[in-house]
Amino acid sequence: MKIYDISQEVFGCAVWPGDPAPEREILSDMKDGALYNLTAFRMCAHNGTHVDAPSHFYKDGKTIDQIDPEKFIGKAYVYEHTGDITAEDAVNILKKAMEADILSANRILIKGKATLTSAAAQVFADAGIRLYGNESQTVGPEDTPMEVHLILLKEEIVLLEGIRLENVPKGVYLLHAIPLNLGGADGAPCRATLIRE
């Protein structure tokens, strides 16, 4: 069994322009003679490797604590792509995932510098996938990501953003990407892993 950690380290993670970067505060330090070490931290729910909930773009959408945990755990298919993902590409990705393991087509993870187009997002939405993940800090074009978010989040497809797949070969894995249970939040950081038996 091989386990891949596909998460960013939080304090050195990528941050969306304008979002606050994670901050660490040492409250108690044994190096200074304290009896124990104690750390506090502050961060945006969308820093580093994180999950978007529907409420990120929908006023009455589900918050992170309202999403069924089953969406975050299960078979996933890693596919490598560079450039725009078109509708035709999305159909091909789903076909390859189903051929490899039909359950892996529920969770699609894209390796590489790829941009999900609105047409491709609609293909995934129509197929009823449960989760879509990519290495960028956002789904869709970085200058206009809203439309792609709206298409996927409307169907309550979990968005797993900011994953790191450079050392992961394409294929079928068991994904575990449970976010922190932040009541009422529009997203949450997570420690995402892939397991290949």
Side-chain angles (χ1 to χ4, degrees), residues 28-195:
S28 180
D29 193 335
M30 293 174 73
K31 291 178 189 170
D32 296 331
L35 294 175
Y36 51 84
N37 293 314
L38 185 63
T39 302
F41 65 93
R42 175 182 164 84
M43 68 183 293
C44 174
H46 298 267
N47 286 156
T49 304
H50 67 279
V51 174
D52 286 358
S55 65
H56 186 36
F57 279 93
Y58 284 99
K59 183 179 178 181
D60 296 320
K62 285 186 178 178
T63 55
I64 204 73
D65 54 307
Q66 295 172 325
I67 299 173
D68 184 347
E70 177 273 334
K71 289 196 176 192
F72 306 106
I73 302 173
K75 293 277 184 81
Y77 187 71
V78 174
Y79 185 83
E80 188 166 359
H81 189 89
T82 301
D84 287 350
I85 300 173
T86 65
E88 184 180 341
D89 293 328
V91 169
N92 184 51
I93 292 166
L94 288 171
K95 180 181 176 189
K96 288 186 177 296
M98 286 188 265
E99 288 171 354
D101 183 316
I102 196 162
L103 293 177
S104 74
N106 286 320
R107 296 169 191 85
I108 302 296
L109 305 179
I110 302 297
K111 174 180 179 174
K113 193 173 174 78
T115 301
L116 187 65
T117 65
S118 297
Q122 193 61 60
V123 169
F124 289 135
D126 292 343
I129 70 170
R130 295 179 183 153
L131 180 145
Y132 176 85
N134 64 353
E135 295 198 81
S136 171
Q137 285 304 112
T138 187
V139 171
E142 291 191 4
D143 56 343
T144 56
M146 187 168 182
E147 185 177 4
V148 172
H149 277 81
L150 291 173
I151 291 167
L152 297 173
L153 293 175
K154 180 181 181 184
E155 302 304 322
E156 298 187 356
I157 296 168
V158 169
L159 305 181
L160 177 59
E161 299 171 326
I163 54 178
R164 294 297 177 252
L165 298 170
E166 61 269 14
N167 298 318
V168 180
K170 59 184 179 178
V172 178
Y173 296 86
L174 176 62
L175 171 70
H176 186 279
I178 290 280
L180 292 177
N181 190 7
L182 303 178
D186 49 85
C190 70
R191 181 79 179 263
T193 59
L194 289 172
I195 301 171

